Amino acid sequence: MEISPSILSADFGNLLSDIKKAEKEKPEFLHIDVMDGHFVPNITIGPLVIKALKGKTNIPFDVHLMIEDADKYIKEFAEAGAKNITVHQEACLHLDRTLQFIKSMGIMASVALNPATPLETLKYVLPSVDMVLIMTVNPGFGGQVFIEEMYEKIRELAYIRESRGLNFKIEVDGGINVDNINDVVFAGADVIVAGSSIFGSGDPGDNIKKLRGAVKR
Ligand code: DX5
Ligand code: ZN
């Protein structure tokens, strides 16, 4: 299992210091939630902040774009230091083109699905993606409750991957904590995003350790 701490729940007044605390546990990614106030009802951070963090941490940036018109900004996010860019299926009119564009920047190209969006919508792009991000809350905010029906979606996606001989990673985002992480990994998740359970309270490094320790299978 890989872990991608979401800075959405970090202390923005002390962002780098929070990231440094997480860095001690060597997470595989740093999850950065970009929201535009259109695709989702919240506004967060843009390429300027990501660029400012570039070179200050060695954790690779996992950029989750919850924005409309992603094509307009992909180059900027790639240049700002993204190792992976995830776009939403629901926000991309020409999803295949957008994914190819991300790949042309020499980085990982991934796609996210809202809880209500069926896996079938990705049938023809699965061979081209590096990760599929299954949203287990409705996107827009940290600290929401994991939607139980999503276990089945994760299992189905893992089955599709196996039966088609594909090798994208399955990333899961929303409401993951020490009580459910084991079930999420058992269902088929490879990359776990966690915001409030890492940056919400206590030490982010210790919290990562606790999450990893809660995975038994
Ligand atoms: C929600 C974001 C998540 C969020 C997860 O739209 O995509 O990455 O930070 O936060 P928790 O782990 O608190 O649900
Ligand atoms: Zn996210």
Side-chain angles (χ1 to χ4, degrees), residues 6-211:
S6 166
I7 59 168
L8 187 61
S9 294
D11 173 2
F12 278 86
N14 295 290
L15 188 54
L16 189 57
S17 128
D18 264 10
I19 292 170
K20 288 286 163 192
K21 288 175 190 163
E23 203 178 89
K24 284 183 296 179
E25 290 307 313
K26 299 186 173 39
E28 285 74 9
F29 292 103
L30 187 71
H31 190 82
I32 304 178
D33 289 300
V34 176
M35 306 186 189
D36 66 354
H38 291 275
F39 177 62
V40 288
N42 196 5
I43 300 177
T44 55
I45 62 180
L48 280 180
V49 175
I50 299 173
K51 207 170 161 183
L53 293 172
K54 192 180 173 182
K56 297 212 169 64
T57 172
N58 53 27
I59 319 174
F61 297 156
D62 167 28
V63 177
H64 179 190
L65 296 184
M66 284 158 276
I67 63 173
E68 290 175 1
D69 289 329
D71 291 12
K72 268 195 211 164
Y73 307 101
I74 282 165
K75 190 164 180 279
E76 218 179 324
F77 281 107
E79 287 170 356
K83 164 83 189 300
N84 171 63
I85 292 183
T86 300
V87 291
H88 266 262
Q89 184 276 345
E90 304 85 356
C92 294
L93 190 54
H94 301 286
L95 178 60
D96 183 73
R97 175 185 285 152
T98 301
L99 291 167
Q100 301 309 334
F101 182 43
I102 300 172
K103 282 188 170 181
S104 76
M105 301 279 122
I107 59 174
M108 291 168 67
S110 307
V111 62
L113 289 183
N114 283 338
T117 309
L119 292 171
E120 286 67 26
T121 58
L122 298 185
K123 183 173 176 184
Y124 300 106
V125 296
L126 284 181
S128 338
V129 298
D130 291 296
M131 288 202 288
V132 175
L133 172 54
I134 300 292
M135 289 303 302
T136 42
V137 297
N138 287 293
F141 304 94
Q144 302 181 80
V145 175
F146 186 97
I147 299 169
E148 298 279 318
E149 284 70 22
M150 296 300 105
Y151 284 120
E152 188 184 336
K153 199 174 187 180
I154 300 164
R155 283 196 297 268
E156 275 179 24
L157 182 58
Y159 174 78
I160 291 168
R161 176 176 62 184
E162 171 81 26
S163 57
R164 291 180 60 183
L166 298 172
N167 55 17
F168 55 84
K169 287 181 178 175
I170 300 178
E171 186 175 28
V172 179
D173 184 4
I176 300 173
N177 53 46
V178 286
D179 297 324
N180 60 15
I181 189 168
N182 189 50
D183 292 340
V184 177
V185 170
F186 187 63
D190 306 296
V191 182
I192 296 290
V193 178
S196 50
S197 59
I198 291 178
F199 292 109
S201 63
D203 177 73
D206 291 348
N207 291 335
I208 292 174
K209 239 191 240 168
K210 282 180 198 154
L211 285 167

